[in-house]
Amino acid sequence: MNPETQFRDGLEATAEHYKEILKLLGEDPNREGLLKTPMRVAKAMQILTRGYFQDPKKVLTDALFEESYDQMVIVKDIDFFSMCEHHMLPFYGKAHVGYIPNGYITGLSKIARVVDIFSHRLQVQERMTEQIKDCIQDTLQPRGVMVVIEAKHMCMQMRGVEKHNSITTTSDFSGWFEQAKTREEFMNLIRGNV
């Protein structure tokens, strides 16, 4: 399914709800500039939440290869965009994902796809970090996984405390990454301190 041209059931109903929301906000949904807005927003929301209908474990296993390599594999600076489930405002940033294989590796692009799938759901950064780690750990059964996410949250920048330059960092890890030395190596590699 191409999320830019094919849409799920409920699109028309969602657009009607957005039309009502415009009215409740004090706008006239029949004025020229807003005539197509409800449908545009409905389509955008389906695109932004397409991760509910994708299987991240299948993505990883579709490119699973037997390999004896047993050192750290890191895909860093994975751009992502997500929607905060509390305010339905965007948060965005970079994910850094590392794992230590245990007989199998996956295609490098598949790691980025896993980030993409979990970010295309209504989220909180903390849960997304854990979901990415758990998915890779459960599917690949590596010696360990570590995920670090750095993000800016529009709910903090546009409303509430309005702190424009704040960045939220979350991390989660398993297996060999429970050793401080291994975590430190990961952090040095994603920061370029080698």
Side-chain angles (χ1 to χ4, degrees):
M1 179 177 107
N2 180 344
E4 296 290 338
T5 58
Q6 297 173 309
F7 296 94
R8 303 185 300 272
D9 291 340
L11 187 65
E12 295 288 337
T14 304
E16 283 301 313
H17 285 292
Y18 278 111
K19 188 173 184 178
E20 289 304 311
I21 289 170
L22 287 172
K23 288 180 191 174
L24 291 169
L25 292 175
E27 265 294 353
D28 175 7
N30 295 313
R31 76 175 169 83
E32 183 182 14
L34 292 177
L35 278 174
K36 295 182 181 179
T37 297
M39 183 55 73
R40 286 186 191 114
V41 176
K43 288 178 177 179
M45 290 307 293
Q46 281 203 1
I47 291 167
L48 294 170
T49 59
R50 69 180 180 247
Y52 289 118
F53 302 92
Q54 297 173 319
D55 183 353
K57 291 184 177 187
K58 183 178 183 322
V59 166
L60 290 172
T61 57
D62 280 352
L64 192 62
F65 308 101
E66 195 169 338
E67 184 60 55
S68 62
Y69 184 80
D70 64 356
Q71 299 299 310
M72 211 175 291
V73 176
I74 298 174
V75 182
K76 68 178 192 171
D77 295 332
I78 303 167
D79 290 320
F80 76 88
F81 299 87
S82 193
M83 296 284 285
C84 162
E85 70 179 32
H86 299 144
H87 304 99
M88 290 185 67
L89 289 171
F91 68 97
Y92 61 94
K94 295 190 181 299
H96 315 286
V97 180
Y99 74 101
I100 301 170
N102 189 17
Y104 291 92
I105 59 170
T106 191
L108 297 175
S109 68
K110 305 309 180 189
I111 300 293
R113 287 279 314 279
V114 168
V115 172
D116 188 61
I117 289 170
F118 284 115
S119 68
H120 280 81
R121 300 176 180 186
L122 297 180
Q123 278 290 10
V124 295
Q125 182 175 334
E126 297 88 341
R127 181 189 319 118
M128 188 173 94
T129 306
E130 183 177 40
Q131 287 174 331
I132 293 165
K133 185 263 302 176
D134 287 345
C135 177
I136 295 168
Q137 183 65 52
D138 295 345
T139 307
L140 300 181
Q141 296 292 308
R143 291 184 169 99
V145 179
M146 184 157 180
V147 178
V148 172
I149 295 180
E150 301 168 302
K152 290 189 170 193
H153 292 252
M154 297 307 287
C155 56
M156 284 185 62
Q157 294 180 345
M158 294 175 66
R159 54 159 302 284
V161 296
E162 296 184 15
K163 299 302 178 201
H164 303 283
N165 296 311
S166 64
I167 295 174
T168 301
T169 302
T170 51
S171 69
D172 198 2
F173 49 86
S174 64
W176 287 9
F177 287 99
E178 292 174 10
Q179 300 170 31
K181 183 178 177 184
T182 309
R183 283 196 311 277
E184 183 181 346
E185 179 184 350
F186 174 86
M187 294 305 292
N188 283 334
L189 287 168
I190 68 171
R191 301 282 184 247
N193 301 333
V194 184

